[in-house]
Short mmCIF file of all heavy atoms in Angstrom, two decimals:
data_model
loop_
_atom_site.label_atom_id
_atom_site.label_comp_id
_atom_site.label_asym_id
_atom_site.label_seq_id
_atom_site.Cartn_x
_atom_site.Cartn_y
_atom_site.Cartn_z
N GLN A 6 -21.29 90.73 12.00
CA GLN A 6 -20.69 89.75 12.89
C GLN A 6 -20.95 90.18 14.32
O GLN A 6 -20.93 91.36 14.64
CB GLN A 6 -19.16 89.69 12.70
CG GLN A 6 -18.69 89.22 11.39
CD GLN A 6 -17.17 89.25 11.29
OE1 GLN A 6 -16.63 89.73 10.30
NE2 GLN A 6 -16.47 88.72 12.28
N THR A 7 -21.13 89.19 15.19
CA THR A 7 -21.23 89.47 16.62
C THR A 7 -20.47 88.39 17.38
O THR A 7 -20.51 87.21 17.01
CB THR A 7 -22.69 89.49 17.10
OG1 THR A 7 -23.33 88.27 16.69
CG2 THR A 7 -23.43 90.68 16.54
N PRO A 8 -19.77 88.77 18.46
CA PRO A 8 -19.58 90.15 18.91
C PRO A 8 -18.46 90.84 18.15
O PRO A 8 -17.75 90.20 17.38
CB PRO A 8 -19.18 89.94 20.38
CG PRO A 8 -18.41 88.65 20.36
CD PRO A 8 -19.10 87.79 19.34
N LYS A 9 -18.27 92.12 18.37
CA LYS A 9 -17.18 92.86 17.75
C LYS A 9 -15.87 92.61 18.51
O LYS A 9 -14.80 92.55 17.91
CB LYS A 9 -17.49 94.34 17.72
CG LYS A 9 -16.52 95.16 16.90
CD LYS A 9 -17.04 96.55 16.67
CE LYS A 9 -16.02 97.43 15.96
NZ LYS A 9 -15.68 96.93 14.63
N TYR A 10 -15.99 92.49 19.82
CA TYR A 10 -14.84 92.19 20.66
C TYR A 10 -15.18 91.00 21.56
O TYR A 10 -16.31 90.88 22.05
CB TYR A 10 -14.47 93.37 21.56
CG TYR A 10 -14.09 94.62 20.80
CD1 TYR A 10 -15.03 95.62 20.56
CD2 TYR A 10 -12.81 94.79 20.29
CE1 TYR A 10 -14.69 96.76 19.85
CE2 TYR A 10 -12.46 95.92 19.59
CZ TYR A 10 -13.41 96.91 19.37
OH TYR A 10 -13.07 98.03 18.66
N LEU A 11 -14.18 90.15 21.78
CA LEU A 11 -14.38 88.97 22.62
C LEU A 11 -13.10 88.74 23.40
O LEU A 11 -12.05 88.51 22.81
CB LEU A 11 -14.71 87.77 21.73
CG LEU A 11 -15.09 86.45 22.37
CD1 LEU A 11 -16.22 86.61 23.37
CD2 LEU A 11 -15.49 85.45 21.29
N VAL A 12 -13.20 88.86 24.72
CA VAL A 12 -12.05 88.62 25.59
C VAL A 12 -12.40 87.44 26.47
O VAL A 12 -13.45 87.42 27.10
CB VAL A 12 -11.74 89.86 26.45
CG1 VAL A 12 -10.51 89.59 27.34
CG2 VAL A 12 -11.50 91.08 25.57
N THR A 13 -11.51 86.46 26.53
CA THR A 13 -11.82 85.23 27.25
C THR A 13 -10.55 84.58 27.77
O THR A 13 -9.44 84.96 27.39
CB THR A 13 -12.60 84.27 26.34
OG1 THR A 13 -13.07 83.16 27.10
CG2 THR A 13 -11.72 83.77 25.20
N GLN A 14 -10.73 83.60 28.63
CA GLN A 14 -9.60 82.90 29.22
C GLN A 14 -9.24 81.67 28.39
O GLN A 14 -10.10 81.08 27.69
CB GLN A 14 -9.96 82.43 30.64
CG GLN A 14 -10.31 83.56 31.59
CD GLN A 14 -9.11 84.37 32.01
OE1 GLN A 14 -7.99 83.85 32.06
NE2 GLN A 14 -9.31 85.64 32.29
N MET A 15 -8.00 81.28 28.48
CA MET A 15 -7.55 80.02 27.85
C MET A 15 -8.40 78.88 28.32
O MET A 15 -8.78 78.81 29.49
CB MET A 15 -6.09 79.75 28.27
CG MET A 15 -5.08 80.17 27.26
SD MET A 15 -3.40 79.52 27.57
CE MET A 15 -3.34 79.29 29.28
N GLY A 16 -8.70 77.97 27.40
CA GLY A 16 -9.45 76.77 27.75
C GLY A 16 -10.96 76.91 27.59
O GLY A 16 -11.68 75.90 27.56
N ASN A 17 -11.43 78.16 27.46
CA ASN A 17 -12.88 78.36 27.29
C ASN A 17 -13.32 78.00 25.88
O ASN A 17 -12.50 77.86 24.95
CB ASN A 17 -13.24 79.83 27.57
CG ASN A 17 -13.26 80.12 29.06
OD1 ASN A 17 -13.16 79.21 29.89
ND2 ASN A 17 -13.38 81.39 29.41
N ASP A 18 -14.64 77.87 25.73
CA ASP A 18 -15.26 77.66 24.41
C ASP A 18 -16.07 78.90 24.07
O ASP A 18 -16.80 79.42 24.91
CB ASP A 18 -16.21 76.45 24.45
CG ASP A 18 -15.54 75.18 24.91
OD1 ASP A 18 -14.30 75.08 24.77
OD2 ASP A 18 -16.25 74.28 25.40
N LYS A 19 -15.95 79.36 22.84
CA LYS A 19 -16.68 80.56 22.43
C LYS A 19 -17.19 80.41 21.00
O LYS A 19 -16.71 79.57 20.23
CB LYS A 19 -15.77 81.80 22.48
CG LYS A 19 -15.39 82.24 23.88
CD LYS A 19 -16.61 82.76 24.64
CE LYS A 19 -16.25 83.13 26.06
NZ LYS A 19 -17.44 83.49 26.85
N SER A 20 -18.16 81.27 20.66
CA SER A 20 -18.72 81.28 19.31
C SER A 20 -18.76 82.69 18.76
O SER A 20 -18.94 83.65 19.51
CB SER A 20 -20.14 80.73 19.32
OG SER A 20 -20.15 79.37 19.68
N ILE A 21 -18.59 82.79 17.46
CA ILE A 21 -18.75 84.05 16.75
C ILE A 21 -19.82 83.83 15.69
O ILE A 21 -19.80 82.80 15.00
CB ILE A 21 -17.44 84.49 16.05
CG1 ILE A 21 -16.28 84.54 17.06
CG2 ILE A 21 -17.62 85.85 15.39
CD1 ILE A 21 -14.92 84.77 16.40
N LYS A 22 -20.73 84.81 15.59
CA LYS A 22 -21.84 84.64 14.63
C LYS A 22 -21.67 85.56 13.44
O LYS A 22 -21.13 86.67 13.56
CB LYS A 22 -23.16 84.96 15.33
CG LYS A 22 -23.50 83.98 16.43
CD LYS A 22 -24.89 84.21 16.98
CE LYS A 22 -25.23 83.16 18.01
NZ LYS A 22 -26.58 83.31 18.55
N CYS A 23 -22.13 85.10 12.30
CA CYS A 23 -22.07 85.89 11.08
C CYS A 23 -23.37 85.75 10.31
O CYS A 23 -23.91 84.64 10.18
CB CYS A 23 -20.90 85.44 10.20
SG CYS A 23 -20.81 86.32 8.62
N GLU A 24 -23.85 86.87 9.80
CA GLU A 24 -25.07 86.87 9.00
C GLU A 24 -24.88 87.76 7.79
O GLU A 24 -24.29 88.84 7.90
CB GLU A 24 -26.25 87.38 9.84
CG GLU A 24 -27.55 87.49 9.05
CD GLU A 24 -28.71 88.01 9.88
OE1 GLU A 24 -28.52 88.31 11.08
OE2 GLU A 24 -29.82 88.11 9.33
N GLN A 25 -25.38 87.32 6.63
CA GLN A 25 -25.36 88.17 5.45
C GLN A 25 -26.77 88.29 4.89
O GLN A 25 -27.52 87.30 4.86
CB GLN A 25 -24.36 87.63 4.39
CG GLN A 25 -24.57 86.20 3.97
CD GLN A 25 -25.37 85.99 2.71
OE1 GLN A 25 -25.80 86.95 2.06
NE2 GLN A 25 -25.58 84.73 2.34
N ASN A 26 -27.10 89.52 4.46
CA ASN A 26 -28.44 89.76 3.91
C ASN A 26 -28.38 90.07 2.42
O ASN A 26 -29.23 90.78 1.88
CB ASN A 26 -29.13 90.89 4.69
CG ASN A 26 -28.40 92.21 4.57
OD1 ASN A 26 -27.43 92.34 3.82
ND2 ASN A 26 -28.85 93.21 5.31
N LEU A 27 -27.35 89.54 1.76
CA LEU A 27 -27.14 89.80 0.34
C LEU A 27 -27.71 88.70 -0.55
O LEU A 27 -27.63 88.80 -1.77
CB LEU A 27 -25.63 89.93 0.06
CG LEU A 27 -24.96 91.11 0.79
CD1 LEU A 27 -23.45 90.98 0.72
CD2 LEU A 27 -25.42 92.43 0.21
N GLY A 28 -28.21 87.64 0.06
CA GLY A 28 -28.73 86.53 -0.74
C GLY A 28 -27.64 85.70 -1.39
O GLY A 28 -27.88 85.00 -2.38
N HIS A 29 -26.42 85.78 -0.85
CA HIS A 29 -25.29 85.05 -1.43
C HIS A 29 -25.35 83.57 -1.09
O HIS A 29 -25.91 83.16 -0.06
CB HIS A 29 -23.98 85.64 -0.93
CG HIS A 29 -23.66 86.97 -1.53
ND1 HIS A 29 -22.65 87.78 -1.06
CD2 HIS A 29 -24.21 87.63 -2.57
CE1 HIS A 29 -22.59 88.87 -1.81
NE2 HIS A 29 -23.54 88.81 -2.72
N ASP A 30 -24.70 82.76 -1.97
CA ASP A 30 -24.66 81.31 -1.75
C ASP A 30 -23.45 80.86 -0.94
O ASP A 30 -23.46 79.77 -0.38
CB ASP A 30 -24.61 80.59 -3.10
CG ASP A 30 -25.95 80.62 -3.82
OD1 ASP A 30 -26.96 80.94 -3.18
OD2 ASP A 30 -25.96 80.33 -5.03
N THR A 31 -22.38 81.66 -0.94
CA THR A 31 -21.12 81.21 -0.35
C THR A 31 -20.67 82.14 0.77
O THR A 31 -20.74 83.36 0.63
CB THR A 31 -20.02 81.15 -1.44
OG1 THR A 31 -20.51 80.41 -2.56
CG2 THR A 31 -18.75 80.49 -0.91
N MET A 32 -20.22 81.54 1.86
CA MET A 32 -19.72 82.31 2.99
C MET A 32 -18.37 81.76 3.44
O MET A 32 -18.07 80.58 3.22
CB MET A 32 -20.73 82.28 4.15
CG MET A 32 -22.04 82.96 3.82
SD MET A 32 -23.20 83.02 5.19
CE MET A 32 -22.42 84.27 6.24
N TYR A 33 -17.56 82.63 4.07
CA TYR A 33 -16.19 82.29 4.41
C TYR A 33 -15.85 82.79 5.82
O TYR A 33 -16.43 83.76 6.30
CB TYR A 33 -15.21 82.99 3.45
CG TYR A 33 -15.50 82.85 1.98
CD1 TYR A 33 -16.44 83.67 1.36
CD2 TYR A 33 -14.82 81.92 1.21
CE1 TYR A 33 -16.70 83.56 0.00
CE2 TYR A 33 -15.07 81.80 -0.15
CZ TYR A 33 -16.00 82.62 -0.75
OH TYR A 33 -16.26 82.52 -2.09
N TRP A 34 -14.84 82.15 6.41
CA TRP A 34 -14.18 82.68 7.60
C TRP A 34 -12.70 82.85 7.30
O TRP A 34 -12.06 81.93 6.77
CB TRP A 34 -14.33 81.76 8.81
CG TRP A 34 -15.64 81.92 9.52
CD1 TRP A 34 -16.69 81.06 9.53
CD2 TRP A 34 -16.03 83.03 10.34
NE1 TRP A 34 -17.72 81.56 10.29
CE2 TRP A 34 -17.33 82.78 10.79
CE3 TRP A 34 -15.41 84.23 10.72
CZ2 TRP A 34 -18.04 83.66 11.62
CZ3 TRP A 34 -16.10 85.11 11.54
CH2 TRP A 34 -17.40 84.82 11.98
N TYR A 35 -12.16 84.04 7.64
CA TYR A 35 -10.75 84.34 7.51
C TYR A 35 -10.20 84.72 8.89
O TYR A 35 -10.91 85.29 9.71
CB TYR A 35 -10.52 85.53 6.57
CG TYR A 35 -10.79 85.25 5.12
CD1 TYR A 35 -12.07 85.38 4.59
CD2 TYR A 35 -9.76 84.85 4.27
CE1 TYR A 35 -12.31 85.12 3.25
CE2 TYR A 35 -9.99 84.59 2.93
CZ TYR A 35 -11.26 84.73 2.43
OH TYR A 35 -11.51 84.47 1.10
N LYS A 36 -8.90 84.46 9.07
CA LYS A 36 -8.21 84.87 10.29
C LYS A 36 -7.14 85.88 9.92
O LYS A 36 -6.36 85.64 8.99
CB LYS A 36 -7.57 83.64 10.96
CG LYS A 36 -6.79 83.96 12.23
CD LYS A 36 -6.18 82.70 12.82
CE LYS A 36 -5.39 83.00 14.10
NZ LYS A 36 -4.76 81.77 14.67
N GLN A 37 -7.11 87.01 10.65
CA GLN A 37 -6.06 88.01 10.46
C GLN A 37 -5.21 88.07 11.71
O GLN A 37 -5.69 88.41 12.79
CB GLN A 37 -6.66 89.39 10.16
CG GLN A 37 -5.61 90.44 9.83
CD GLN A 37 -6.21 91.77 9.42
OE1 GLN A 37 -7.14 92.27 10.05
NE2 GLN A 37 -5.70 92.34 8.34
N ASP A 38 -3.93 87.76 11.56
CA ASP A 38 -3.06 87.72 12.73
C ASP A 38 -2.55 89.11 13.10
O ASP A 38 -2.93 90.11 12.48
CB ASP A 38 -1.91 86.73 12.52
CG ASP A 38 -0.97 87.15 11.40
OD1 ASP A 38 -0.93 88.34 11.04
OD2 ASP A 38 -0.27 86.26 10.87
N SER A 39 -1.70 89.15 14.10
CA SER A 39 -1.25 90.45 14.62
C SER A 39 -0.43 91.24 13.61
O SER A 39 -0.27 92.45 13.74
CB SER A 39 -0.42 90.24 15.90
OG SER A 39 0.68 89.40 15.62
N LYS A 40 0.11 90.56 12.60
CA LYS A 40 0.86 91.25 11.55
C LYS A 40 -0.02 91.58 10.36
O LYS A 40 0.49 91.91 9.28
CB LYS A 40 2.06 90.40 11.12
CG LYS A 40 3.07 90.18 12.23
CD LYS A 40 4.29 89.43 11.75
CE LYS A 40 5.28 89.28 12.90
NZ LYS A 40 6.48 88.54 12.51
N LYS A 41 -1.31 91.45 10.53
CA LYS A 41 -2.30 91.80 9.49
C LYS A 41 -2.40 90.76 8.38
O LYS A 41 -3.07 91.01 7.39
CB LYS A 41 -2.01 93.18 8.86
CG LYS A 41 -2.09 94.33 9.82
CD LYS A 41 -3.52 94.74 10.04
CE LYS A 41 -3.62 96.07 10.75
NZ LYS A 41 -5.01 96.38 11.12
N PHE A 42 -1.73 89.62 8.53
CA PHE A 42 -1.79 88.62 7.48
C PHE A 42 -3.12 87.89 7.53
O PHE A 42 -3.53 87.41 8.58
CB PHE A 42 -0.63 87.64 7.60
CG PHE A 42 -0.55 86.66 6.48
CD1 PHE A 42 -0.38 87.09 5.17
CD2 PHE A 42 -0.65 85.30 6.71
CE1 PHE A 42 -0.31 86.19 4.12
CE2 PHE A 42 -0.59 84.39 5.66
CZ PHE A 42 -0.41 84.83 4.37
N LEU A 43 -3.78 87.79 6.36
CA LEU A 43 -5.10 87.17 6.25
C LEU A 43 -5.00 85.79 5.63
O LEU A 43 -4.36 85.61 4.60
CB LEU A 43 -5.99 88.01 5.35
CG LEU A 43 -6.64 89.22 5.97
CD1 LEU A 43 -6.83 90.29 4.93
CD2 LEU A 43 -7.98 88.84 6.58
N LYS A 44 -5.71 84.83 6.24
CA LYS A 44 -5.68 83.48 5.70
C LYS A 44 -7.07 82.86 5.83
O LYS A 44 -7.74 83.02 6.85
CB LYS A 44 -4.67 82.64 6.48
CG LYS A 44 -4.35 81.30 5.85
CD LYS A 44 -3.20 80.66 6.57
CE LYS A 44 -3.08 79.19 6.30
NZ LYS A 44 -2.62 78.84 4.98
N ILE A 45 -7.48 82.19 4.76
CA ILE A 45 -8.80 81.58 4.80
C ILE A 45 -8.82 80.39 5.75
O ILE A 45 -7.84 79.65 5.88
CB ILE A 45 -9.27 81.14 3.40
CG1 ILE A 45 -10.75 80.76 3.45
CG2 ILE A 45 -8.41 80.01 2.85
CD1 ILE A 45 -11.43 80.72 2.13
N MET A 46 -9.95 80.24 6.44
CA MET A 46 -10.12 79.09 7.33
C MET A 46 -11.14 78.12 6.75
O MET A 46 -10.89 76.92 6.65
CB MET A 46 -10.59 79.57 8.71
CG MET A 46 -9.65 80.52 9.40
SD MET A 46 -10.33 81.14 10.93
CE MET A 46 -10.26 79.66 11.95
N PHE A 47 -12.31 78.64 6.43
CA PHE A 47 -13.41 77.79 5.96
C PHE A 47 -14.20 78.52 4.88
O PHE A 47 -14.23 79.73 4.83
CB PHE A 47 -14.39 77.46 7.10
CG PHE A 47 -13.80 76.72 8.23
CD1 PHE A 47 -13.50 77.38 9.41
CD2 PHE A 47 -13.55 75.37 8.14
CE1 PHE A 47 -12.96 76.70 10.48
CE2 PHE A 47 -13.00 74.68 9.20
CZ PHE A 47 -12.70 75.35 10.37
N SER A 48 -14.88 77.70 4.08
CA SER A 48 -15.81 78.23 3.11
C SER A 48 -17.02 77.30 3.04
O SER A 48 -16.86 76.08 3.08
CB SER A 48 -15.15 78.32 1.74
OG SER A 48 -16.10 78.64 0.76
N TYR A 49 -18.20 77.89 2.96
CA TYR A 49 -19.43 77.12 2.83
C TYR A 49 -20.17 77.58 1.59
O TYR A 49 -20.36 78.78 1.39
CB TYR A 49 -20.34 77.32 4.05
CG TYR A 49 -20.25 76.23 5.08
CD1 TYR A 49 -19.22 76.22 6.00
CD2 TYR A 49 -21.18 75.21 5.13
CE1 TYR A 49 -19.11 75.23 6.94
CE2 TYR A 49 -21.09 74.21 6.07
CZ TYR A 49 -20.06 74.22 6.98
OH TYR A 49 -19.96 73.23 7.92
N ASN A 50 -20.61 76.63 0.78
CA ASN A 50 -21.39 76.95 -0.40
C ASN A 50 -22.73 76.22 -0.28
O ASN A 50 -22.75 75.00 -0.27
CB ASN A 50 -20.66 76.52 -1.67
CG ASN A 50 -21.37 76.97 -2.91
OD1 ASN A 50 -21.83 78.10 -2.98
ND2 ASN A 50 -21.48 76.10 -3.89
N ASN A 51 -23.80 77.01 -0.18
CA ASN A 51 -25.12 76.41 0.01
C ASN A 51 -25.13 75.41 1.16
O ASN A 51 -25.64 74.30 1.04
CB ASN A 51 -25.61 75.71 -1.26
CG ASN A 51 -26.19 76.71 -2.24
OD1 ASN A 51 -26.88 77.65 -1.84
ND2 ASN A 51 -25.90 76.52 -3.51
N LYS A 52 -24.52 75.82 2.25
CA LYS A 52 -24.44 75.05 3.50
C LYS A 52 -23.54 73.83 3.41
O LYS A 52 -23.48 73.03 4.34
CB LYS A 52 -25.82 74.64 4.01
CG LYS A 52 -26.75 75.81 4.31
CD LYS A 52 -27.89 75.42 5.21
CE LYS A 52 -28.79 74.41 4.57
NZ LYS A 52 -29.82 73.91 5.52
N GLU A 53 -22.78 73.65 2.35
CA GLU A 53 -21.84 72.54 2.26
C GLU A 53 -20.42 73.09 2.39
O GLU A 53 -20.06 74.05 1.74
CB GLU A 53 -21.98 71.84 0.91
CG GLU A 53 -23.34 71.25 0.64
CD GLU A 53 -23.62 70.02 1.49
OE1 GLU A 53 -22.65 69.32 1.85
OE2 GLU A 53 -24.79 69.78 1.81
N LEU A 54 -19.61 72.42 3.24
CA LEU A 54 -18.23 72.84 3.41
C LEU A 54 -17.46 72.53 2.14
O LEU A 54 -17.45 71.38 1.67
CB LEU A 54 -17.60 72.08 4.58
CG LEU A 54 -16.13 72.40 4.89
CD1 LEU A 54 -15.99 73.84 5.37
CD2 LEU A 54 -15.60 71.43 5.93
N ILE A 55 -16.80 73.54 1.55
CA ILE A 55 -16.04 73.27 0.34
C ILE A 55 -14.55 73.56 0.50
O ILE A 55 -13.77 73.15 -0.32
CB ILE A 55 -16.58 74.07 -0.88
CG1 ILE A 55 -16.62 75.58 -0.62
CG2 ILE A 55 -17.94 73.57 -1.28
CD1 ILE A 55 -16.99 76.39 -1.84
N ILE A 56 -14.17 74.28 1.52
CA ILE A 56 -12.75 74.46 1.81
C ILE A 56 -12.55 74.26 3.30
O ILE A 56 -13.30 74.77 4.08
CB ILE A 56 -12.24 75.87 1.45
CG1 ILE A 56 -12.37 76.13 -0.03
CG2 ILE A 56 -10.80 76.05 1.90
CD1 ILE A 56 -12.08 77.56 -0.40
N ASN A 57 -11.53 73.53 3.67
CA ASN A 57 -11.18 73.45 5.07
C ASN A 57 -9.66 73.42 5.13
O ASN A 57 -9.06 72.37 5.01
CB ASN A 57 -11.77 72.20 5.73
CG ASN A 57 -11.44 72.12 7.22
OD1 ASN A 57 -10.70 72.94 7.74
ND2 ASN A 57 -11.98 71.14 7.89
#
Side-chain angles (χ1 to χ4, degrees):
Chain A
Q6 295 178 227
T7 53
K9 189 168 174 62
Y10 299 97
L11 186 52
V12 181
T13 188
Q14 300 287 331
M15 262 193 333
N17 283 351
D18 304 336
K19 290 293 177 186
S20 295
I21 306 172
K22 295 187 176 182
C23 177
E24 177 180 0
Q25 55 96 2
N26 63 6
L27 297 167
H29 287 169
D30 286 345
T31 309
M32 295 183 72
Y33 311 82
W34 278 108
Y35 290 87
K36 179 181 180 181
Q37 185 175 45
D38 64 21
S39 58
K40 297 184 178 179
K41 297 280 192 188
F42 186 60
L43 279 149
K44 192 171 163 72
I45 191 162
M46 300 175 70
F47 299 103
S48 171
Y49 262 81
N50 186 44
N51 279 320
K52 300 199 296 173
E53 299 289 331
L54 179 66
I55 57 173
I56 298 172
N57 182 355

